[in-house]
Amino acid sequence: MEQVTATTVKQAGKVIAVHLAYQSRADQRGRTPGKPSYFLKASSSLSLSGSEIERPAGCELLAYEGEIALVIGTAARRVSVEDAWSHVGRVTASNDLGVYDLKYADKGSNVRSKSGDGFTPFGPALIPAAAVDPADLRVRTWLNGNLVQSDTTSGLIFPFSQIVADLSQLMTLEPGDVILTGTPAGSSVAEPGDVIEVEVDAPAAGLSTGRLRTAVVQGTEELADFGNKPKATAADREDAWGSSEAAGLAPKGLSTELKRKLTSVGTATLSAQLRQRGLNNVSIDGLKSTRPDLRIAGTARTLRYVPNREDLFKTHGGGYNAQKRIINTLNEGDVLVMEARGEPGTGTVGDILALRAQVKGAAAIVTDGGVRDVAAVAALDIPTFFTGAHPAVLGRKHIPWDTDLTISCGGATVQPGDIIVGDSDGVLVIPPSLAEEVADAAIIQEHEETYIAEMVTAGHSVEGLYPMNAVWKAKFAVWAAAHPNPAAQP
């Protein structure tokens, strides 16, 4: 097979990269695009196998992304999806390297973060596109000899023919242009001294590019003050490393201790504490629970339904729609909160998707709409808070429209990341910044109320006792010394 050489690099034209393209990567990111999107990399970023890549001085987040690269063979302009693959001349391996420390400076363009010299190694061999099935290719990445990425083109959200046809709608794809087709899950950070290898093969055809090898070295030339300097946020670190845990950050969601505190008290007590802090409009009203015996606490993920309109349901309602996407990307401890406009006349979730949420580790489902298959949903371990049962599917009243945005549910505003607490009395929305304070105060309040209940049981009047005046507070202090609050103990 033909090898990528310095001449190949010089003859290369545009370098176009796809953002999210593999479902495994989309699931990791928590979002699945409906259509492909792209960015450009400088042709000067192309380099050969065996090259060294410099991590710029002051940067810490040089991320690798093993990808399949398509090299255009014949010019393509406004080609059809059916004809698109015939315009691809060769297939090879590539590594879409970039520094997340400079993403903020690019304002979405990726010019500085992705176009450094050598940031797009490709090769070493070129596989003839006509000799392979584009739906049967595999890409693998190794970091220091350890396999870290592996996926096949069967996992693509957008097939290669769609990508080529889509790009050709607005620009002529010319011979030598390179299209980087996206990376699967497993992309992470490389550091000076690391060696990254990427291979693309077609197992059925017995063809392989061989391993594309790139060594990382440390840059020593500091970026000057007349341009943007490297800067990385916690979000940048999480994106670059692939997860908060890999980045050494505190995991998302509730800590085990805060969850214990919030579920050790009732929503009635938490509501009283929120009201004392001026928050009266934080209850999701009109719901009942399939598991009223359970108390739940978790972080909100949100889904919005809009009223059904038949033409829009055709584009947004079927297939891997917003409802299925968010349920498939729920994490341990998430609470899926759905805005259904208080419309109970159709189901917003049924037994299969509720089961999927349970398997994903979600803490609960909350909807101000109806539930289908309610007996089966109620039989699950995961509680669902809902307005009523209804046999109809989504298309009768709703279109699943968008996810992870601020919504209204049961008269309350819910933002992604808000803390949701629920029990047999109802569901509350707690701002994360107040959660610890409210939980601690609620634990104290319930301890006091335990004492008050004992005194009422013993025959005392509630006058001066509920709430406690100074005399009763002094008596409570003596009682509390002998009866430590169990909910306050970790």
Side-chain angles (χ1 to χ4, degrees), residues 21-92:
Y22 284 84
Q23 191 59 57
S24 62
R25 174 78 158 181
D27 289 347
Q28 189 179 43
R29 291 293 200 215
R31 62 185 187 277
T32 300
K35 296 291 189 295
S37 61
Y38 315 94
F39 60 93
L40 291 171
K41 297 188 74 170
S43 58
S44 56
S45 70
L46 293 168
S47 59
L48 300 173
S49 181
S51 299
E52 290 184 339
I53 176 69
E54 181 180 290
R55 185 180 75 176
C59 292
E60 62 172 288
L61 301 175
L62 175 66
Y64 57 83
E65 297 181 4
E67 305 199 8
I68 298 171
L70 310 181
V71 182
I72 297 299
T74 58
R77 177 72 165 113
R78 296 195 180 100
V79 300
S80 67
V81 172
E82 292 73 22
D83 187 47
W85 185 248
S86 67
H87 293 269
V88 179
R90 296 172 178 82
V91 175
T92 192

Side-chain angles (χ1 to χ4, degrees), residues 148-160:
V148 290
Q149 290 185 284
S150 180
D151 210 335
T152 67
T153 46
S154 64
L156 284 168
I157 304 169
F158 314 112
F160 294 156

Side-chain angles (χ1 to χ4, degrees), residues 130-465:
V132 298
D133 180 352
D136 193 30
L137 295 173
R138 177 174 61 174
V139 59
R140 290 178 292 174
T141 306
W142 292 263
L143 180 66
N144 300 325
N146 298 310
L147 183 66
V148 290
Q149 290 185 284
S150 180
D151 210 335
T152 67
T153 46
S154 64
L156 284 168
I157 304 169
F158 314 112
F160 294 156
S161 56
Q162 179 182 350
I163 290 169
V164 174
D166 185 30
L167 287 168
S168 78
Q169 293 187 94
L170 292 171
M171 67 177 77
T172 300
L173 298 175
E174 299 169 320
D177 285 352
V178 178
I179 302 174
L180 308 182
T181 59
T183 196
S187 165
S188 193
V189 170
E191 298 180 337
D194 287 343
V195 173
I196 312 157
E197 297 171 292
V198 183
E199 180 185 10
V200 170
D201 65 348
L207 298 174
S208 171
T209 62
R211 292 198 185 185
L212 169 69
R213 186 181 187 278
T214 307
V216 180
V217 299
Q218 179 60 54
T220 57
E221 191 79 19
E222 295 285 343
L223 297 181
D225 287 337
F226 50 72
N228 287 298
K229 304 280 279 186
K231 180 174 66 176
T233 65
D236 293 328
R237 292 185 176 90
E238 180 177 345
D239 282 348
W241 282 96
S243 70
S244 55
E245 292 79 8
L249 303 170
K252 288 183 175 179
L254 297 182
S255 68
T256 301
E257 177 60 11
L258 179 54
K259 183 176 180 179
R260 183 197 67 79
K261 288 180 180 180
L262 289 169
T263 55
S264 72
V265 293
T267 55
T269 311
L270 291 167
S271 178
Q273 291 299 326
L274 288 164
R275 189 166 58 254
Q276 288 181 24
R277 290 159 178 80
L279 292 172
N280 293 301
N281 300 302
V282 289
S283 63
I284 301 178
D285 295 336
L287 310 186
K288 55 187 175 183
S289 175
T290 59
R291 294 292 308 274
D293 54 312
L294 295 181
R295 288 177 175 173
I296 65 97
T299 49
R301 293 284 303 280
T302 60
L303 167 65
R304 181 170 68 109
Y305 293 106
V306 297
N308 185 36
R309 204 178 89 186
E310 287 75 8
D311 60 322
L312 295 177
F313 193 87
K314 289 179 181 178
T315 58
H316 288 76
Y320 196 55
N321 59 30
Q323 178 203 41
K324 293 175 182 175
R325 290 199 302 270
I326 193 168
I327 287 176
N328 207 42
T329 58
L330 291 172
N331 297 307
E332 188 80 25
D334 284 345
V335 176
L336 175 58
V337 185
M338 297 186 281
E339 175 186 336
R341 310 176 311 284
E343 170 54 69
T346 194
T348 55
V349 72
D351 58 342
I352 297 298
L353 293 182
L355 175 61
R356 179 59 176 161
Q358 175 174 296
V359 169
K360 293 290 289 182
I365 297 170
V366 177
T367 175
D368 62 358
V371 167
R372 298 178 67 229
D373 313 307
V374 71
V377 172
L380 297 173
D381 293 332
I382 183 173
T384 295
F385 296 83
F386 66 110
T387 56
H390 201 284
V393 295
L394 285 179
R396 182 170 185 263
K397 295 283 186 178
H398 303 306
I399 306 173
W401 195 255
D402 43 14
T403 63
D404 293 318
L405 72 167
T406 301
I407 64 169
S408 168
C409 183
T413 297
V414 183
Q415 294 190 298
D418 279 344
I419 294 174
I420 307 299
V421 181
D423 60 15
S424 57
D425 278 348
V427 181
L428 295 175
V429 183
I430 303 178
S433 60
L434 289 178
E436 287 278 1
E437 175 187 335
V438 167
D440 289 340
I443 287 171
I444 293 171
Q445 178 182 331
E446 288 209 346
H447 196 215
E448 292 176 347
E449 290 177 354
T450 298
Y451 170 72
I452 293 169
E454 284 192 14
M455 296 301 101
V456 171
T457 301
H460 293 282
S461 169
V462 295
E463 185 179 359
L465 174 61

